[in-house]
Amino acid sequence: MGTINLDLPSVEIREIRLNSVGTYSGNAKELVKKSYDGSLKDVNRKFMQCNGCSITKAACMTVLIQDSVVIEHGPIGCSSCFHGFDFSYRSDAHLRGVENPTRRRIYSTNISEKDTVYGGSKKLEKTIREVYEQNKPSTIFVLSTCATAIVGDDIESVCVDAEEELGIPVVSITCEGFRSKVWTTGFDAAYHGIARKLIAKQETDEKNNKINVINFWGSDRFTDWFKPFGYEPNYIVPFSKVATLKDSSKSALTVQACSTLGSYLGACLEQEYGVPELETAPPYGIRQTDRWFRALGKALHQEEKAEEIIAEKKKEYLPKIEELRNKLQGKTAFVTGGAAHGHALTSVLGELGIKVVGTSIFHHDPLYDSQRLGNDQLNQRVTDYGNIGNYRVCCKQEYEIVNSLHRLMPDLFISRHHGMSLWGAKFGIPCIQIDDEHFCMGYEGLVDYGNRLLQVLENDEFVKTISKHASNPYTKWWFEQSPDTFIEGFEKKEEIEESDGGRKIG
């Protein structure tokens, strides 16, 4: 550990802090090796179709805090993605017991051309006061944008002055898009601000009966899992209140739904506030679920209870999982998604007997902030279920994904994020995209996910019909090239390494 410095107003970006990369092409086993021996280096692309923006990820966390207000300081277009989190709040709040969820309170300073010449600090000061008077929130978050970063507005100073004037935390979040090529730095930026301004240091070492769960907005799996141990989940950050975040330093433990998402906040809570982080990756797949419950039991000094839970759940769910495995055995899949959850999906597929013939994972962290190998979900996947050939790291470079799909033609296309599934449909490949990151967790999650995959495979007429009529914007020339064509240093090979379970491509 030791990568956390809450005295700084801005979080250190992942490229520097963790040596994260946005480009890789090879196989998963070799990527794990390079991550551990220090030989992994990032390379550039000569062409990029798009990229993820850090402000989206910072907004993803801050907008969903119940009693907060979020101000985007910049052109109003930079807040165009925020409405999606308003929808997520109202549609998923019931999963966390939020009664009568209201619309999110989201604002923009809407800086003009004049502001980009003379600066927008005065406009931000006025906006903070107006927003406070209208809403009387428990905290205000101010998110930076590329325009205000280029101008050089001192957002931190404005927020400090406003905090003294209003008597509530006014938190600056440094998350302009050009600051980092690794989109998940936006999560870190939001957590950095929360850890600096909202989480309270406790005067005693006494802990309560809560366990922090760093997550997105998935369904509640953890209440049932923690109850036999005498604990209950403290979900952070989505759907939290400021008081909940403040008291997260009183929790007995921190667990995560995704190692990539929670890496920084988990380390903050342990290093700065004395809340230990569970020393293993989240429970995806039978073997990792076994490890997770045993690690949980050990951390809570209830090893025997953990073994009882494992035995009970295996008795109930293993026959169902075996039945699903028999039906899905031999099927192939291509996975695209964020790093750790993408790795988790490949583990779930491996457990269900489905061969992952290729991936497009949005970035790669060689090691997380805890520096614990047990949190490494890719290594866990390779160890438990074997290598993955055609393993690619690229942040939503859809032209590369489409090229790979055209070459591999898997039985299933699994995507984690909106807007990606359509590429499978254009080729007549059954697609599945599930927002709920908890859906495939644990033994019961394997059953739920396996049944959903069967439904998708058995009801493929829709995507087959689409493929007969859909046009594709990519030319025949591009489909004849390697997906690595625009990666710097690429030299065309006659044949690309055969994927685990796939056919040779080239």
Side-chain angles (χ1 to χ4, degrees), residues 210-238:
K210 293 185 182 294
I211 297 173
N212 296 324
V213 180
I214 305 174
N215 72 123
F216 288 100
W217 41 75
S219 52
D220 181 14
R221 293 275 193 205
F222 292 91
T223 295
D224 288 343
W225 290 349
F226 293 161
K227 189 174 182 180
F229 295 100
Y231 288 81
E232 58 185 62
N234 178 40
Y235 282 108
I236 53 177
V237 169

Side-chain angles (χ1 to χ4, degrees), residues 139-152:
T139 190
I140 296 172
F141 293 100
V142 179
L143 277 55
S144 66
T145 61
C146 294
T148 50
I150 292 170
V151 172

